[in-house]
């Protein structure tokens, strides 16, 4: 009932706005620098991110913009997160094409701090407000890369319209509605040459996209279907540390390896090829109340299926039979000791060779209104709802080929949903004054999570037996915000704003059961709430081609449901939540210098962040079993600079260049460990933060219809743990220094004046770099694509 009431309420709020006509438009410097850029057969004029104007209410925030044409000529984009691949200071842990756990890190927030980053598609949130670490990836697959018109990366919480969940930054993905009849068909094939952990295989996949839309007077409609299917390389290399202890069953096989701390180890197989299939159905309807005010309704349905069914064991017993790890006569996993031919012992649990099937069915819809509602005032309001009404994973306890397999297994059901409402009103002529701009608004967010884990006596049939875990809870936030900009002198402006958040934690519970004791642990947590005010300010000086801007923000990030309530045990993982977590509190500074050059710009951002009680997720993996805990770190500090150069038609030649570098250092400055066995991390580097990232691309427009691009992505190595003890390279669980070189070429075929046909080919990771970000990244991958647009 609460769910239905929330949904009805936000839909009502999103509809209750009237409209009046208006006339003006604005542009930003980065968009203006890209006007009339050479794009082969057609001259493309770039505008701002949306044609229905709304004042720039994020001026104080450093921003990087990517346009559709940039993606089409430079990026082998198979999923939508590829569109921001070369953005400065952005790290997406996309382990393979179609990865459901493609987590996002921006600047000084690492890719496992997903609660520090926000992602929107046409104002509808794609970021996960419930989960963090590898489970907290944005719902990238709710948007196809073929529908993107532009993408914006905003760095830091400097605009009052965004909550403290923007400590890292915000990604805005923008699409367009058709102005006349249009249709599009895309097809892409992918091929990865994979050779790791005893495998030498060619992994294949494809993506198809079809869409059509039209405009009839004031009404426009657009619909699409996107199918994605791919085989990703095995995501876990099974390895175990070697010891000189006595005992163990003699085996042969395996490869020499090392742990992340450089201790001797053996790699004895992998968990199997990661197979992912996604079907996305989407429809968008829009109505133009005036030339500059548009209402839009979007609905999307996703069916995502995952499968891992071919684990590989390199171990053989004395009779030459494949060894699948330890097990009991009842078909349960157990730790078994084995001995190498060299006399060293290691341990293998049977569960590391399990197989699994997963399926997520989700519905996402929203209603928005954006544009001018009077001569001076504009509105941007969106009500949205997301519900993964089926999210189930079925895993076997042992490998199906294990001699003791009894088809025992485990079933995990996740029930996430969230509802949001966002209202912003803004004007560039506040109180009739041309030197004042104002923005104010209100936001509502409610997010609910429940996690159930069951035993299964027959995983093949999906049969559900006893429940072993039931945990979850909800959070709710009501926020009001405003900011005022005063252009007090020519070329000078000052902005001040603030944000008030009232946060609640609701219905938190953790229930653990066993067959012997069905009431082993039942913990229901009391509801609690907290309120915080976050001030914002900036000062800008923009003489001629120069822009200088200092921005300041204080921001609070409240804990999410997983961090507080998700305590559960699965076959190969255990999570311990921390229900007493409080909000993170941070101070953020940014000084930007930008110089505009013909068809481009040069920019430098210097930044300093200090965060108190920053929540860290600590993961430890031993013998294939991962334990995750959450803890607040008293204080961290980060300092850095990002440098960006971007120019089209360099020296009036048909060459486009882009290069950016992010240099940063983040350390723990205060830590008071809690508990007898806790470690003091004061002085340690923050985990998963590269100290150096470099991206670059060069595009050569060979002839009018033919383009060729080369891109480079470099990142330095980093630690995976706060202890900073993981120093080994090219091993499971570590993070390596890596350089990926990508190629793409596109040719536009002159089939028909009304029909645009493009074929393209590309390679990612040209030099076949072998790199790990906890899990292995893809090796050399080939692409071939064809597109028809009417």
């Amino acid at each position: 009932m609460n769910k239905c009431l929330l949904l009805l309420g936000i839909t009502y709020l999103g509809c209750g706005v009237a409209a009046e006509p208006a006339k003006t438009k604005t542009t930003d410097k980065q968009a203006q620098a890209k006007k009339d850029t050479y794009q082969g057969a057609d001259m493309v004029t770039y505008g701002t991110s949306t044609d229905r104007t709304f004042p720039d209410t994020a001026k104080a925030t450093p921003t990087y913009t990517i346009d559709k044409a940039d993606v089409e000529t430079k990026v082998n984009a198979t999923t939508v997160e590829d569109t921001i691949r070369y953005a400065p200071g952005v790290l997406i842990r996309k382990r393979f094409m179609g990865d459901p756990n493609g987590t996002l890190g921006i600047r000084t927030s690492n890719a496992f701090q997903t609660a520090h980053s926000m992602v929107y598609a046409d104002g509808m949130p794609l970021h996960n407000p419930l989960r963090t670490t590898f489970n907290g990836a944005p719902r990238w697959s709710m948007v196809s890369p073929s529908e993107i018109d532009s993408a914006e990366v905003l760095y830091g919480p400097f605009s009052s319209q965004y909550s403290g969940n923007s400590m890292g930054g915000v990604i805005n993905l923008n699409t367009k509605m058709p102005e006349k009849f249009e249709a599009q068909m895309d097809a892409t094939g992918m091929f990865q040459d994979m050779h790791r952990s005893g495998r030498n295989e060619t992994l294949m996949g494809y993506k198809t996209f079809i869409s059509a839309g039209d405009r009839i007077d004031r009404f426009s409609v657009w619909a699409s279907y996107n199918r994605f299917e791919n085989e990703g390389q095995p995501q876990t290399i099974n390895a175990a540390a070697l010891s000189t202890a006595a005992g163990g069953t003699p085996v042969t096989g395996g490869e020499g390896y090392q742990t992340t701390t450089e201790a001797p180890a053996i790699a004895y197989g992998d968990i199997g090829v990661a197979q992912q299939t996604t079907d996305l159905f989407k429809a968008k309807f829009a109505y133009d109340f005036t030339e500059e005010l548009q209402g839009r309704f979007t609905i999307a349905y996703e069916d995502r299926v995952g499968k891992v069914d071919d684990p590989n064991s390199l171990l053989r017993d004395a009779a030459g039979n494949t060894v699948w790890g330890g097990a009991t006569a009842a078909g349960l996993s157990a730790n078994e000791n084995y001995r190498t031919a060299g006399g060293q012992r290691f341990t293998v649990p049977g569960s590391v060779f399990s197989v699994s099937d997963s399926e997520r069915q989700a519905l996402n819809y929203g209603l928005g209104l954006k544009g001018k509602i009077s001569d001076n005032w504009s509105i941007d309001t969106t009500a949205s709802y997301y519900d993964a009404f089926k999210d189930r994973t079925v895993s076997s306890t042992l490998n199906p080929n294990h001699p003791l397999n009894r088809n025992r297994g485990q079933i995990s059901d996740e029930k996430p949903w969230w509802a949001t409402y966002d209202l912003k009103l803004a004007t560039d002529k506040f109180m009739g004054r041309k030197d004042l701009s104002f923005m104010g608004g209100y936001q509502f967010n409610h997010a609910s999570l429940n996690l159930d884990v069951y035993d299964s006596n027959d995983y093949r049939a999906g049969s559900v037996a006893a429940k072993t875990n039931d945990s979850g809870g909800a959070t709710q936030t009501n926020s009001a915000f405003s900011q005022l900009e005063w252009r007090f002198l020519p070329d000078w402006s000052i902005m001040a704003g603030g944000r008030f958040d009232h946060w609640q934690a609701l219905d938190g519970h953790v229930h653990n059961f066993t067959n012997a004791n069905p009431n082993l642990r039942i913990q229901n947590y009391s509801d609690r709430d907290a309120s915080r005010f976050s001030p914002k300010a900036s000062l800008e000086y923009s003489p001629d081609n120069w822009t200088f801007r200092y921005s300041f923000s204080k921001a609070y990030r409240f804990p999410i449901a997983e961090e507080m309530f998700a305590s559960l045990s699965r076959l190969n993982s255990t999570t311990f939540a921390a229900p007493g977590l409080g909000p993170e509190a941070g101070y953020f500074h940014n000084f930007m210098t930008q110089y505009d050059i013909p068809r481009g710009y040069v920019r430098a951002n210097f930044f300093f962040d200090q965060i108190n009680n920053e929540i860290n997720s600590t993961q430890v993996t031993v013998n294939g079993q991962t334990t995750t805990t959450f803890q607040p770190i008293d204080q961290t500090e980060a300092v850095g600079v990002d440098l960006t150069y971007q120019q089209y038609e360099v020296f009036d030649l048909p060459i486009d260049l882009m290069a950016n570098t992010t240099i940063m250092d983040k350390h723990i400055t205060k830590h008071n460990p809690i508990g007898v066995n806790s470690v003091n991390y004061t002085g340690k580097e923050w985990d998963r933060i590269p100290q150096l990232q470099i991206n670059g691309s060069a595009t050569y427009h060979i002839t009018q219809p033919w383009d060729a691009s080369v891109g480079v992505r470099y990142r330095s190595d980093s630690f995976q743990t706060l202890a900073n003890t993981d120093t080994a390279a090219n091993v499971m669980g570590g993070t390596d220094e890596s350089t990926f070189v990508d190629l793409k070429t596109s040719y536009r075929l002159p089939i028909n004046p009304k029909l645009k046909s493009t074929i393209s080919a590309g390679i990612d990771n040209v030099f076949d770099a072998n790199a790990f970000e906890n899990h292995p990244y893809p090796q050399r991958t080939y692409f071939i694509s064809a597109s028809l647009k009417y």
Side-chain angles (χ1 to χ4, degrees), residues 130 415 417 446-451 470-475 505-510 560-562 564-566:
L130 292 163
K415 299 181 179 68
W417 67 271
H446 183 97
S448 176
L449 173 69
N450 206 81
L451 303 170
D470 175 358
S471 63
T475 61
L506 308 168
D507 305 322
H509 63 277
V510 175
I560 58 176
E562 180 182 14
M564 295 184 291
F565 308 130

Side-chain angles (χ1 to χ4, degrees), residues 442-478:
Y442 165 79
Q443 288 170 353
F444 169 83
N445 295 275
H446 183 97
S448 176
L449 173 69
N450 206 81
L451 303 170
D452 296 323
V453 181
Y454 305 87
D455 286 333
S456 176
N457 294 322
D458 187 353
Y459 77 91
R460 299 171 304 173
S463 62
V464 175
K467 180 183 286 190
T468 59
N469 289 100
D470 175 358
S471 63
T475 61
Q476 183 168 295
T477 308
N478 286 272

Side-chain angles (χ1 to χ4, degrees), residues 142-174:
M142 298 302 294
V143 180
S144 167
S146 299
E147 36 175 324
I148 295 299
D149 182 57
S150 67
E152 298 171 318
V153 184
L154 283 67
Y155 298 88
F158 297 105
S159 175
S160 65
Q161 71 195 65
Y162 297 113
S163 70
N165 296 91
S166 64
M167 284 183 173
V170 179
I171 309 293
N172 284 319
L173 304 174
N174 307 297

Side-chain angles (χ1 to χ4, degrees), residues 382-401:
T382 303
S384 71
Y385 174 71
Y386 175 90
D387 187 1
F389 54 88
K390 180 180 180 181
D391 195 343
R392 169 169 284 197
T393 300
V394 179
S395 304
S396 68
T397 300
L398 302 175
N399 189 276
N401 297 314

Side-chain angles (χ1 to χ4, degrees), residues 52-104:
R52 308 291 192 243
T53 59
F54 187 80
D56 184 1
T57 55
K59 283 183 184 177
T61 307
T63 304
Y64 183 81
T65 302
I66 304 101
D67 284 296
K68 183 181 184 71
D70 291 332
V71 177
E72 290 178 343
T73 57
K74 301 172 185 175
V75 183
N76 298 308
T78 56
T79 50
V80 75
E81 62 267 39
D82 289 327
T83 60
I84 56 175
R85 171 186 293 181
Y86 298 112
V90 172
L91 177 62
I92 298 175
R93 195 196 68 148
K94 182 180 176 180
R95 303 171 300 166
F96 62 96
M97 292 174 290
D99 185 5
N101 298 327
T103 55
L104 170 66

Side-chain angles (χ1 to χ4, degrees), residues 689-706:
I689 294 288
Q691 294 189 340
L692 177 63
Q693 286 180 264
I694 301 173
N695 299 305
S697 69
T699 302
Y700 178 36
H701 305 286
I702 303 168
T703 63
Q704 283 192 343
W706 188 12

Side-chain angles (χ1 to χ4, degrees), residues 281-355:
F281 302 85
K282 179 176 284 190
K284 297 187 291 187
F285 307 89
Y287 184 80
D288 291 350
F289 295 96
T290 70
E291 290 184 358
E292 295 181 293
L293 179 67
Q294 185 181 82
R296 184 186 294 191
F297 176 74
T298 301
I299 185 167
Y301 166 76
E302 176 197 42
D303 186 6
R304 170 185 278 274
V305 177
K307 180 184 288 289
V308 179
D309 62 0
D310 66 336
N312 182 35
S313 175
L314 302 178
L315 302 178
R316 302 293 183 269
D317 62 17
N321 298 313
T322 301
V323 173
W324 296 106
T328 68
L332 301 177
S333 177
N335 288 333
E336 181 80 15
N337 292 326
Y338 298 98
R339 181 167 293 279
T340 68
Q344 295 176 299
R345 198 179 82 176
F346 63 101
T347 303
V348 180
S351 59
V352 298
F353 290 114
S354 67
V355 299

Side-chain angles (χ1 to χ4, degrees), residues 402-520:
H402 199 295
L404 296 177
N405 175 46
R406 299 292 181 268
N407 297 322
R408 303 285 292 272
Q410 192 175 80
I411 295 176
S412 300
D413 279 337
E414 182 174 340
K415 299 181 179 68
W417 67 271
W418 57 82
T420 68
Y421 178 69
D422 188 342
L423 169 66
K424 294 190 291 286
L425 295 169
T427 178
D428 283 327
K429 293 182 180 179
F430 186 54
M431 299 174 62
R433 293 178 51 171
K434 295 183 179 180
D435 60 343
L436 290 180
S437 294
F438 175 83
M439 182 270 292
Y442 165 79
Q443 288 170 353
F444 169 83
N445 295 275
H446 183 97
S448 176
L449 173 69
N450 206 81
L451 303 170
D452 296 323
V453 181
Y454 305 87
D455 286 333
S456 176
N457 294 322
D458 187 353
Y459 77 91
R460 299 171 304 173
S463 62
V464 175
K467 180 183 286 190
T468 59
N469 289 100
D470 175 358
S471 63
T475 61
Q476 183 168 295
T477 308
N478 286 272
S479 307
F481 53 91
S482 66
Q483 63 189 39
L484 181 70
E485 181 187 12
W486 179 27
R487 294 172 288 280
F488 58 95
L489 287 173
D491 302 325
W492 286 87
S493 66
I494 188 171
M495 186 276 289
R499 179 183 180 90
F500 177 80
D501 296 300
H502 178 68
W503 168 87
Q504 297 169 278
L506 308 168
D507 305 322
H509 63 277
V510 175
H511 302 165
N512 293 335
F513 315 98
T514 66
N515 291 330
N517 186 356
N519 298 312
L520 178 64

